[in-house]
Amino acid sequence: MTKYYALLASLLLANTSGWAQSYQRTSQGLKASLETFDVEIRFYSPQIVRVLKTPKGGPPRLASLSVIKEPQATALTLASTDSTVTLTSQALRVRLGLRRGNVAIDQAAGAPLLHETRAAIRFRPNQGPDAGTYAVRQAFRLAPDEVIYGLGQQQNGKLNQRGQRVRLAQHNTSVAIPFFQSAKGYGIFWDNYSPTTFADTLQETSFASEVGRAADYYVLYGGTTDGVVAQLRELTGQAPLMPLWVYGFSQSRERYKTQVELVDVVKRYRALGVPLDGIVQDWQYWGKDDNWNAMSFDPATFPRPQQMVDSVHLLKAHLFIVAWPGFAPKTPQYQEFASKNMLLNFDTWPPGANTKPYDVYNPAARAIYWRYLNKGIFSLGPDAWWLDSTEPDHINEKPTDFDQPTHLGTYRSVQNAFPLQHVRGVYEHQRATSEAKRVMLLTRSAFAGQQRYGSNTWSGDVGSSFETLKKQVPAALNFSLTGLPYWNADIGGFFAGSFKKDGGAKNPAFQELYVRWMQFATFTPMMRSHGTDIPREIYQFGQRGDWAFDVQEQFINLRYRLLPYLYGTAWQVTSHGGSIMRPLAAAFGRDRASLDQSGEFLFGQSFLVAPVTEAGTKTKSVYLPAGATWYDFWTGQRLTGGQTVARACPIELLPVYVRAGAIVPWGPKVQYAGEKKWDHLEIRVYPGANGEFTLYEDEGDSYRYEKGARSEITFRWDDAKRQLTIQNRQGSFPGMLARRTFRLALAGPQNGAGVAPAKVVKAVSYASKQLVVKL
């Protein structure tokens, strides 16, 4: 019969003769010894506390793969009774029960946050390859009406994850991250990399992992969803800034079969005058499947790869190249990895090719992977990587596949960290090779901490349907709420075969779906068209004058006009732990109706977006949160928050609202992100509340911004005085504008509506010194 370690022991205070055991004060918290396990409570900051429970005689806990923060000196007060010891920081109060070892975490002032249940912890010894480790379960008690977010990216169509039972294991379209945060202002990261079941019932909320050396979790207090995300970045790493061009529009297809075909796509966009910044080369540029992922170009279809890269650059575009974690036996990579016992022995994509993934957990294997990628591809000068199958694909899955050893233990024990370690290898080695280009990694999966490696995760090979589109909104928000700011999806969905027989891109039903999806993508961190079955280039849908072409062009142009706003928002992500896609609760947590709005989101600080996710929609109900005044982006109509409005939404319109107090820089019309300098920006002010926005600029690429090569210009609007202050410019970089003109406009029903040029109230010349302007 399997033995269980339960919380049945008592703990003795060091100065109390009635107990059999003791606790010990440490520099960052305390350690306590119970009969069957030890407990450590360690503060990493006043807002972050770690709880670690280790079975007696168990193996030591390995260093975290996700957490990089070192504990900082934190002022703590300690109080104790016969049954409880309490540690209090400036933000948190942590109580340890000395009989069962239960932990309760509250705000320092006493408001309850997260409490373990009475039968909180369970360790069950594993057998076989994982012998010496445990199946670990930890349970908590949440308030009955508490709203929680997170768990990575789940395609369940829900924003609030209460009442869910989810097996957290990486799969195509499902990103598994054992983290949730509460609308009460705290988050919990369960630091475990094995498949883990999250379960929430009326009685308890729990994490149960298949393999662990300890129960190890962090509680982070941020006060708001934004605050929790900022604390999680503090714990697991900040997100570097993407190149400016990445925030533009990228085109892809499964797949471009020759280098001529790929370059021709860029040429056609330039000839049409439709903006484009990225072009993606998907799989099989290496030839047949028996040469899968050789990281070299097939001479028959890509005879002059350097010429291809150079041609894309001459057209002022940027090139993604795909790379996979698995290799076919014919490749030199496979042979070297096999000779060094660095392959995982299970089948990955494509079927029938006997392709095996390399051991991403081994730093020596990651170095070998980069050596081939650098020599075969990066030396040609591409701009970004598409790291496909980063979960990875697992074909013909067998239970014994998970028993095999990796550099860090059985595959089962570290399965969910596969994407984290794989992208880490590419990021770290590219940065060590050259910092001339910022690392951009388009990945299909992620884990906690992956944001620090230049990762932008897409939602996987999802189907082409309005039902799937609807699920992308809460999936993206929950992903963002796990601390990962960069997310995107294949515009139109990947699998579009159901529309192919009826005309493909000329099928009106697919055109409607694709256009509505593109409208949504305009307000996501990356705007990228991709899919199989039906080519998605804009000219496949018709020509100017055809509605499916015209609406796409309108929203691609809108994306580029918003680049100064989006780049400034991205800088807040990097510098202040911010997010691009945010739930309404991020800014309106006191408005109960905002907490579970799964069909709307905030884009940065200023925009509220309500994607159209049902076919044939003519009118959409949109909730405008209480606590703010809102402007209809398209008409300038001013509306009071705290109400649901019925917004007409013909095919050319997506419901978008702007918060009063917003300051939105409006960029020039361009064909690519770096075509024009921002020397004549229109600055739209939405009166009705005070507001602030920081215009951020740098060289657009390279990591010199980390060393100070950047500038910030902060705009502040005083609504009572009708006064805009443009503050002194902070910082500088080579090629920066020394003087510029800002065209100032007040938005409203008669001005600044939609994409039409606003009527300028004042044009001011700015030479980096503070200006105060009455409007």
Side-chain angles (χ1 to χ4, degrees):
M1 183 176 181
T2 303
K3 182 178 179 181
Y4 287 82
Y5 292 94
L7 287 177
L8 301 174
S10 300
L11 180 67
L12 176 66
L13 297 176
N15 60 351
T16 304
S17 60
W19 301 96
Q21 292 155 327
S22 65
Y23 76 83
Q24 176 186 359
R25 179 72 185 267
T26 65
S27 59
Q28 281 104 18
L30 62 83
K31 294 181 178 179
S33 180
L34 278 72
E35 182 177 326
T36 57
F37 64 90
D38 296 326
V39 182
E40 180 177 5
I41 295 172
R42 177 183 290 188
F43 278 81
Y44 278 54
S45 74
Q47 295 82 25
I48 301 174
V49 63
R50 180 188 187 188
V51 177
L52 177 66
K53 299 181 180 180
T54 308
K56 296 284 189 182
R61 178 73 165 101
L62 298 177
S64 177
L65 299 178
S66 294
V67 173
I68 62 172
K69 180 179 175 62
E70 294 293 332
Q72 67 187 61
T74 303
L76 300 171
T77 60
L78 184 146
S80 63
T81 67
D82 286 352
S83 61
T84 305
V85 59
T86 302
L87 285 169
T88 305
S89 72
Q90 185 179 6
L92 294 173
R93 183 181 72 186
V94 182
R95 290 175 288 140
L96 172 66
L98 298 176
R99 291 185 173 88
R100 290 186 169 85
N102 287 26
V103 174
I105 300 178
D106 305 317
Q107 293 184 39
L113 294 177
L114 183 70
H115 294 185
E116 295 179 353
T117 61
R118 286 176 63 83
I121 185 72
R122 187 172 70 200
F123 296 108
R124 186 185 68 207
N126 282 319
Q127 307 298 324
D130 287 304
T133 67
Y134 305 84
V136 185
R137 184 179 186 274
Q138 178 77 56
F140 307 91
R141 185 176 67 253
L142 305 187
D145 62 346
E146 194 168 342
V147 174
I148 62 172
Y149 314 108
L151 304 183
Q153 174 193 271
Q154 304 301 322
Q155 300 284 348
N156 58 16
K158 297 181 181 298
L159 180 60
N160 182 5
Q161 297 299 309
R162 292 304 301 270
Q164 300 300 299
R165 181 180 179 87
V166 181
R167 186 173 186 267
L168 296 171
Q170 309 290 17
H171 292 288
N172 187 352
T173 77
S174 176
V175 175
I177 301 177
F179 170 87
F180 71 81
Q181 64 161 288
S182 167
K184 292 169 68 174
Y186 72 87
I188 175 171
F189 172 48
W190 176 254
D191 196 5
N192 186 287
Y193 323 115
S194 73
T196 297
T197 297
F198 167 85
D200 178 72
T201 68
L202 294 175
Q203 290 74 39
E204 65 178 17
T205 304
S206 63
F207 289 108
S209 296
E210 294 179 7
V211 183
R213 294 167 178 253
D216 191 355
Y217 68 89
Y218 297 77
V219 174
L220 312 90
Y221 183 69
T224 64
T225 64
D226 286 344
V228 173
V229 167
Q231 293 301 319
L232 188 56
R233 301 263 183 79
E234 177 72 16
L235 185 69
T236 64
Q238 300 300 332
L241 194 61
M242 299 286 181
L244 175 63
W245 66 265
V246 170
Y247 301 99
F249 175 66
S250 291
Q251 180 65 59
S252 181
R253 186 199 298 179
E254 194 280 300
R255 57 187 166 84
Y256 298 120
K257 297 180 180 180
T258 69
Q259 69 180 70
V260 173
E261 186 177 38
L262 179 139
V263 174
D264 184 62
V265 171
V266 185
K267 288 180 177 178
R268 293 193 68 173
Y269 270 86
R270 293 288 178 256
L272 285 167
V274 176
L276 177 75
D277 262 285
I279 187 75
V280 183
Q281 179 55 54
D282 204 344
W283 61 8
Q284 290 184 324
Y285 60 84
W286 48 74
K288 296 180 179 180
D289 286 354
D290 63 1
N291 203 40
W292 186 267
N293 199 33
M295 298 175 178
S296 61
F297 288 92
D298 177 21
T301 52
F302 293 82
R304 293 178 294 279
Q306 186 66 69
Q307 183 186 68
M308 176 185 67
V309 175
D310 294 344
S311 296
V312 170
H313 290 163
L314 286 171
L315 290 164
K316 305 300 183 182
H318 303 81
L319 180 62
F320 290 80
I321 298 290
V322 76
W324 292 59
F327 298 92
K330 183 180 176 180
T331 62
Q333 294 94 326
Y334 183 104
Q335 294 166 23
E336 181 170 354
F337 283 134
S339 70
K340 296 177 178 178
N341 198 27
M342 292 178 176
L343 288 176
L344 301 181
N345 188 27
F346 62 78
D347 293 333
T348 188
W349 192 270
N354 296 316
T355 306
K356 311 293 183 189
Y358 78 108
D359 185 355
V360 301
Y361 310 99
N362 187 333
R366 294 195 296 267
I368 293 170
Y369 186 94
W370 174 256
R371 171 161 46 85
Y372 284 102
L373 193 62
N374 180 36
K375 181 180 179 181
I377 306 295
F378 188 63
S379 60
L380 299 173
D383 307 284
W385 303 108
W386 183 343
L387 299 184
D388 209 338
S389 188
T390 38
E391 62 280 342
D393 281 304
H394 195 154
I395 299 171
N396 305 318
E397 183 177 306
K398 302 183 294 295
T400 53
D401 291 346
F402 300 91
D403 295 338
Q404 64 186 289
T406 74
H407 185 73
L408 294 179
T410 65
Y411 181 56
R412 180 183 292 105
S413 70
V414 289
Q415 178 186 345
N416 284 340
F418 189 101
L420 176 69
Q421 296 302 92
H422 180 44
V423 303
R424 173 187 180 181
V426 177
Y427 176 85
E428 291 181 343
H429 285 97
Q430 182 177 326
R431 286 209 64 169
T433 303
S434 171
E435 294 205 337
K437 295 181 179 181
R438 297 175 197 166
V439 184
M440 162 56 188
L441 306 177
L442 182 60
T443 75
R444 200 169 73 184
S445 194
F447 196 73
Q450 195 163 307
Q451 73 280 349
R452 63 182 183 256
Y453 298 133
S455 175
N456 192 322
T457 303
W458 92 95
S459 61
D461 299 340
V462 297
S464 298
S465 70
F466 273 99
E467 180 184 4
T468 302
L469 171 57
K470 186 175 184 178
K471 291 178 180 179
Q472 300 313 289
V473 181
L477 291 174
N478 279 309
F479 183 85
S480 181
L481 288 162
T482 55
L484 298 158
Y486 289 106
W487 179 96
N488 67 104
D490 296 343
I491 296 176
F494 182 70
F495 292 110
S498 61
F499 296 99
K500 187 175 181 179
K501 63 181 179 180
D502 296 319
K506 301 292 175 54
N507 181 334
F510 183 69
Q511 290 180 335
E512 181 188 10
L513 172 65
Y514 186 83
V515 164
R516 289 303 194 188
W517 206 311
M518 176 169 276
Q519 291 171 343
F520 164 56
T522 304
F523 295 92
T524 63
M526 184 179 186
M527 187 182 189
R528 182 186 58 88
S529 171
H530 180 66
T532 192
D533 303 312
I534 299 174
R536 315 293 174 86
E537 295 82 14
I538 189 171
Y539 47 81
Q540 307 286 354
F541 293 83
Q543 56 189 352
R544 282 196 178 91
D546 296 329
W547 69 266
F549 183 106
D550 290 349
V551 179
Q552 288 184 58
E553 184 178 27
Q554 174 188 345
F555 276 85
I556 294 172
N557 276 314
L558 173 58
R559 175 74 172 200
Y560 280 83
R561 301 301 291 271
L562 289 171
L563 275 183
Y565 172 82
L566 182 51
Y567 205 47
T569 301
W571 174 240
Q572 295 304 311
V573 168
T574 295
S575 60
H576 292 89
S579 297
I580 296 173
M581 294 184 73
R582 307 160 65 225
L584 303 193
F588 304 99
R590 295 183 179 180
D591 177 8
R592 185 73 192 181
S594 293
L595 299 186
D596 195 15
Q597 292 288 339
S598 62
E600 305 175 21
F601 63 95
L602 303 174
F603 180 64
Q605 297 291 324
S606 301
F607 290 90
L608 184 154
V609 183
V612 176
T613 56
E614 294 184 8
T617 299
K618 303 300 182 185
T619 303
K620 182 176 177 67
S621 294
V622 181
Y623 180 71
L624 302 177
T629 299
W630 298 92
Y631 288 84
D632 186 307
F633 173 71
W634 303 103
T635 67
Q637 179 187 6
R638 186 165 164 167
L639 300 159
T640 301
Q643 63 168 322
T644 298
V645 298
R647 181 62 171 96
C649 46
I651 192 64
E652 70 274 8
L653 188 145
L654 171 75
V656 178
Y657 295 84
V658 187
R659 187 178 181 178
I663 302 170
V664 179
W666 196 250
K669 186 175 181 180
V670 293
Q671 296 304 294
Y672 53 91
E675 182 184 16
K676 298 177 183 177
K677 291 183 178 294
W678 295 345
D679 52 353
H680 285 80
L681 291 184
E682 178 183 304
I683 308 296
R684 293 188 181 181
V685 177
Y686 291 79
N690 294 336
E692 179 180 312
F693 183 83
T694 297
L695 179 68
Y696 173 83
E697 294 169 291
D698 58 23
E699 295 171 299
D701 211 339
S702 91
Y703 287 98
R704 285 186 287 271
Y705 79 90
E706 293 181 343
K707 301 176 177 62
R710 60 180 187 265
S711 79
E712 297 175 75
I713 302 171
T714 297
F715 297 76
R716 286 201 172 94
W717 171 249
D718 186 318
D719 197 61
K721 296 180 179 178
R722 309 286 284 186
Q723 180 173 290
L724 182 68
T725 300
I726 309 173
Q727 295 188 329
N728 292 332
R729 188 198 73 233
Q730 302 296 315
S732 64
F733 61 92
M736 181 191 67
L737 291 167
R739 183 178 294 275
R740 66 209 307 167
T741 297
F742 290 125
R743 302 168 62 251
L744 310 180
L746 284 176
Q750 307 303 319
N751 196 23
V755 297
K759 181 180 178 182
V760 173
V761 176
K762 286 186 180 180
V764 298
S765 178
Y766 178 77
S768 304
K769 298 299 182 182
Q770 179 171 299
L771 294 176
V772 179
V773 185
K774 284 277 191 178
L775 297 179

